[in-house]
Amino acid sequence: PYGPIRPTHTIRVRPLTCSETRRGDQRVVATSLLGPGYATFGFSAVFDAGDSQEAVFEGSGMRQLVELATDGFSCTVFAFGQTGSGKTYTLMGPLGQVQHCPPNPTGSWWCPMQAVALTWLSIRDLLSPGPPCTLPLRWSKTRGFYVENQLSVDFESLEAIASLLLQGSQRRRTSAHALNRHSSRSHALLTIHIRSRNQASARPSRQGTLCFVDLAGSERVKETGSSGELSIEANNINRSLLALGHCISMLAKPRGKRTHVPYRDSKLTRLLARSLGGSGVTLMVACISPSSRCLSETLSTLHYASRARRVTTRPLANRKLLQSLEEEIHALQLENLSLRQQLGLPRVPMRSTEVLGTPMRMGAWPGLGGRFGPAGLHQFPLEGQLPLEGAPAWPSLYGLLRDFVVENEQLR
Ligand code: ADP
Ligand code: MG
């Protein structure tokens, strides 16, 4: 029911590492326009060496993605780029330094989490203890492609998540070592299913997902001097990235010119079909190294990212859920309006942010005041109006509902 939206595209340039600095590598990437003579690329947001994880979280649209996931959307963050360009760092941050965070305060969320490592040939569970076992990839009409028998682990606190992620990333490495016959490097997919506990409340349960995809880095076999199994492995990684690239190229074409999208060409594209071109909301983060030695890989990552920018998706959330949310908000609006009349208060709150609660950084529904019609009600930009790239942020419907509930309590 939503109009097409473009994934948000972000570039992150990591700092030069100590060894790069020591061997005298030059910085060859600038995040501002330098004029003629340079290859230039445009993206939704660009982060430089000095930008923190928080800055990336806020500025890339990741916060909005989390909010959309809590509203029932299927959201995916992809990190791609050459090996060592900062993909894992961007998605996971420095895991060892997770600060204490109070556990889920209301107990109203239930977030089972799954993680797998994917190679060309196999899918392995990263959360199940014991020796890594291969899991089958299945397809069903209702779920699309999915991994069967994946272990789901509940988490209650940030520390617990961080510790699970650390174990998972260690398992990714050790299982890779033990199973080096096929591939020692893999793509990693972490999926968090966001469910509301739906306790006594009559609210419908939320069923969004948040998926983090840490793509294995592409590799130039000739340059790295890989041979034997290592070169097969590198070729397999490149093969799956190429399959992903083919899907992206096809999806980037205008709808009329699009022929078959080859999702079935690799395990990776099968699993990501929904996020890539279907009903998901996607954020792509291209990670690059600023070093002169990485220039050719950096250029190819930027070209890949530019092509991916043209892909659009049609996000679909749980329609029933959205309908009941709309009805609930509408009923509260009417009730608040009538309470305002009884109290002799103006029909419309003085400041639109009063209704919305905390103003959002990227300008949540600017001009909402102007959207209030003569009856003091505003319309929800629901049908076909999810904003395109560059448009104002899509606020959380649950956030809105909460704000109307607060207003209602105050008026009462
Ligand atoms: P990839 O997952 O792309 O192979 P990593 O995330 O492992 O790369 O990063 C490679 C190295 O660079 C790691 O030592 C990591 O700590 C460091 N690094 C990456 N990005 C940043 C950053 N933004 N700030 C500081 N260090 C970073
Ligand atoms: Mg990594």
Side-chain angles (χ1 to χ4, degrees), residues 12-15 17 49 51 82-90 214:
R12 189 179 202 188
V13 191
R14 70 155 166 75
T17 60
D51 290 316
Q82 139 185 53
T83 304
S85 57
K87 299 179 294 294
T88 306
Y89 185 94
T90 295
D214 188 350

Side-chain angles (χ1 to χ4, degrees), residues 202-255:
R203 281 186 208 171
S205 62
R206 292 158 250 193
Q207 302 208 357
T209 55
L210 198 53
C211 181
F212 297 92
V213 185
D214 188 350
L215 291 170
S218 58
E219 201 169 89
R220 284 169 191 257
V221 178
K222 268 191 201 149
E223 279 173 23
T224 50
S226 306
S227 62
E229 281 184 359
L230 274 180
S231 104
I232 295 173
E233 170 194 303
N235 279 331
N236 277 341
I237 289 169
N238 293 348
R239 218 167 136 196
S240 63
L241 289 172
L242 210 64
L244 181 62
H246 285 155
C247 289
I248 288 175
S249 300
M250 188 50 73
L251 289 163
K253 290 187 180 174
R255 280 195 173 249

Side-chain angles (χ1 to χ4, degrees), residues 117-196:
L118 232 104
T119 65
W120 182 260
L121 296 167
S122 64
I123 301 175
R124 296 200 167 83
D125 207 312
L126 287 177
L127 298 182
S128 68
C133 58
T134 304
L135 301 175
L137 182 63
R138 304 255 186 251
W139 186 86
S140 86
K141 239 182 182 171
T142 47
R143 295 173 66 181
F145 289 104
Y146 67 97
V147 181
E148 199 176 54
N149 298 331
Q150 234 179 317
L151 188 76
S152 276
V153 178
D154 281 358
F155 62 67
E156 296 289 334
S157 71
L158 198 58
E159 286 118 315
I161 305 168
S163 130
L164 268 173
L165 290 178
L166 264 178
Q167 285 170 32
S169 63
Q170 273 154 13
R171 211 164 282 132
R172 190 181 172 195
R173 272 198 295 273
T174 44
S175 79
H177 216 67
L179 298 156
N180 210 353
R181 287 247 303 282
H182 297 312
S183 177
S184 69
R185 287 169 50 223
S186 55
H187 310 291
L189 263 78
L190 169 79
T191 311
I192 301 170
H193 301 267
I194 301 176
R195 309 270 185 266
S196 68

Side-chain angles (χ1 to χ4, degrees), residues 14-54:
R14 70 155 166 75
L16 277 173
T17 60
C18 295
S19 56
E20 284 169 342
T21 314
R22 236 179 284 127
R23 69 182 181 206
D25 290 10
Q26 299 295 307
R27 275 185 65 93
V28 290
V29 180
T31 52
S32 53
L33 272 182
L34 291 178
Y38 293 89
T40 52
F41 298 84
F43 295 96
S44 322
V46 179
F47 299 92
D48 213 340
D51 290 316
S52 63
Q53 286 294 98
E54 288 76 17

Side-chain angles (χ1 to χ4, degrees), residues 255-333:
R255 280 195 173 249
K257 293 194 174 164
R258 204 181 284 176
T259 52
H260 168 69
V261 184
Y263 292 123
R264 287 181 180 262
D265 282 5
S266 75
K267 287 191 166 52
L268 180 70
T269 45
R270 279 179 217 190
L271 265 183
L272 297 179
R274 210 174 145 196
S275 330
L276 277 174
S279 51
V281 185
T282 308
L283 168 68
M284 301 263 200
V285 186
C287 296
I288 53 179
S289 152
S291 158
S292 45
R293 295 209 186 197
C294 301
L295 187 57
S296 63
E297 279 289 352
T298 296
L299 279 171
S300 92
T301 302
L302 290 170
H303 283 297
Y304 196 92
S306 295
R307 217 171 32 240
R309 282 189 76 203
R310 298 199 294 270
V311 178
T312 52
T313 62
R314 291 179 172 266
L316 255 170
N318 185 333
R319 186 65 218 152
K320 245 172 133 180
L321 155 71
L322 287 177
Q323 226 162 13
S324 58
L325 268 177
E326 276 177 278
E327 284 163 13
E328 211 171 329
I329 293 175
H330 190 72
L332 270 169
Q333 275 188 300

